[in-house]
Amino acid sequence: MSAEPIIYGLIFIGVLVLVEGLYLVAFGKSISMNSRVNHRLEMLNKGGRREEVLDQLRKEMRQHMSAKSIPLYSLLAAKAQKAAIAFTPQQLLMVMGGLSTVAFIGLSVGTETETPVRIVISIVIGVGAVFFWISSKANKRMSMIEEQLPDAVELMVRSLKVGHPFASAVQIVAKEVQDPLGTEFGVIADEAAYGRDVGEALKDMAERLDMQDMRFLAVAVTIQQQAGGNLAKILAGLAQVIRARFRLFRRVKAITAEAKWSGKFLSAFPLVALVVINLGDPHYYDEVCESEVFIPACIAVGMFLGVNLFVMRMLTNIKV
């Protein structure tokens, strides 16, 4: 009975591994962000027509936000869109249900918890594991885009300096840059080829990714289109600003890392100590459990731990 928290944690980790395995089995290399040939070029090389590839990519990029009206899924839509999850919203909901079922079976085999409690915990594990998995994918993808963007802008600057139009510069980035940014710019290049304004396409991508540096790029291109000027010089300055912001973000992250991990450690330590004490002496808290204030005290401790995490997050959430 005292080992139940450990079993809950192992089941949660197992569910995370299972959802990642399902994702890799279902989509394989098509969802890899480390391939030298980006997803769009790979689809074109397989014989797909340009307009068909564009239509499919646009549908994949917008499928999650278009499903925000689905109950519960609205909490995942923005993250799933940033992560470019290949699962459709309906498939993700089915994955949540399947993982919750697997968690329920694991809880039934490994614990003696009452059935209603097992049902609630299994749902929390299934939904929480998917949310944690999507969040980690989104954070990884956005970090890669932020790191690739300065190089992509400098590549456009070099292309503009040798006389290429801006649309051709975007096309060069789409061919030369790896995923995830390569496919994003490939969609912009295809949309521009079919008549859409490049500035509007960049603005749409910036809003979809909710990325400030991309908004700067869209604004710079839009202003140059309306007022004129040396776009290569503007983008060269923008690349320097983006790199400076990126270095500043890294510096702030390094400075606040100690405070963040201190907050996590202080919140996790009482729970870890509780598990270790129960494993060492299962009857250590028997007399305390019979007290009338035990449940209120547990609730108060949980609230204080949650407040600690919230306060430490607010103190270290520095806007740059």
Side-chain angles (χ1 to χ4, degrees), residues 21-34:
L22 288 173
Y23 196 57
L24 292 176
V25 170
F27 300 101
K29 293 183 178 180
S30 65
I31 46 87
S32 175
M33 290 184 288
N34 299 317

Side-chain angles (χ1 to χ4, degrees), residues 192-223:
Y194 287 107
R196 188 179 185 186
D197 181 72
V198 179
E200 291 182 0
L202 285 169
K203 183 179 179 181
D204 181 67
M205 180 175 68
E207 295 300 325
R208 177 165 45 81
L209 297 177
D210 191 22
M211 187 174 174
Q212 191 65 34
D213 290 337
M214 199 70 73
R215 291 191 182 98
F216 292 157
L217 176 61
V219 170
V221 173
T222 302
I223 292 176

Side-chain angles (χ1 to χ4, degrees), residues 91-103:
Q91 289 173 336
L92 273 177
L93 291 174
M94 292 175 62
V95 168
M96 289 182 198
L99 295 177
S100 298
T101 303
V102 172

Side-chain angles (χ1 to χ4, degrees), residues 40-275:
R40 170 179 166 272
L41 293 180
E42 185 178 3
M43 294 171 66
L44 291 173
N45 290 336
K46 289 182 179 179
R49 294 192 302 171
R50 190 175 184 182
E51 57 270 22
E52 293 176 350
V53 171
L54 174 61
D55 184 63
Q56 181 178 344
L57 290 175
R58 293 178 68 178
K59 186 182 298 183
E60 291 177 358
M61 291 175 177
R62 291 173 171 80
Q63 64 179 347
H64 297 289
M65 292 305 294
S66 62
K68 287 187 68 174
S69 58
I70 300 176
L72 180 66
Y73 193 78
S74 59
L75 301 174
L76 302 172
K79 289 285 187 181
Q81 178 175 275
K82 291 180 181 180
I85 299 297
F87 281 136
T88 64
Q90 293 76 15
Q91 289 173 336
L92 273 177
L93 291 174
M94 292 175 62
V95 168
M96 289 182 198
L99 295 177
S100 298
T101 303
V102 172
F104 179 78
I105 295 173
L107 291 172
S108 300
V109 173
T111 68
E112 298 178 356
T113 311
E114 296 181 358
T115 301
V117 178
R118 288 203 305 269
I119 293 175
V120 173
I121 294 177
S122 62
I123 293 175
V124 171
I125 290 176
V127 176
V130 172
F131 185 84
F132 181 83
W133 175 72
I134 291 176
S135 296
S136 63
K137 290 284 186 182
N139 292 336
K140 178 182 177 181
R141 186 170 185 268
M142 293 304 297
S143 296
M144 293 181 68
I145 290 177
E146 290 174 354
E147 191 170 347
Q148 288 178 310
L149 185 58
D151 293 332
V153 175
E154 290 179 349
L155 181 59
M156 286 190 287
V157 171
R158 292 194 293 270
S159 178
L160 291 171
K161 285 183 177 180
V162 299
H164 292 154
F166 183 67
S168 298
V170 174
Q171 184 67 42
I172 291 173
V173 172
K175 290 182 179 180
E176 299 296 331
V177 177
Q178 300 178 15
D179 271 342
L181 194 60
T183 295
E184 294 284 351
F185 270 86
V187 171
I188 293 176
D190 290 342
E191 289 178 339
Y194 287 107
R196 188 179 185 186
D197 181 72
V198 179
E200 291 182 0
L202 285 169
K203 183 179 179 181
D204 181 67
M205 180 175 68
E207 295 300 325
R208 177 165 45 81
L209 297 177
D210 191 22
M211 187 174 174
Q212 191 65 34
D213 290 337
M214 199 70 73
R215 291 191 182 98
F216 292 157
L217 176 61
V219 170
V221 173
T222 302
I223 292 176
Q224 192 277 337
Q225 289 177 336
Q226 296 176 354
N230 189 337
L231 183 57
K233 186 175 180 180
I234 294 172
L235 294 183
L238 178 61
Q240 293 179 358
V241 172
I242 294 174
R243 287 195 183 278
R245 278 169 52 84
F246 189 72
R247 288 195 298 268
L248 183 57
F249 280 132
R250 289 287 181 90
R251 183 176 178 83
V252 170
K253 186 176 181 181
I255 293 174
T256 59
E258 181 180 357
K260 289 180 179 179
W261 282 103
S262 295
K264 294 177 181 178
F265 175 79
L266 292 174
S267 295
F269 180 77
L271 301 178
V272 174
L274 177 64
V275 173

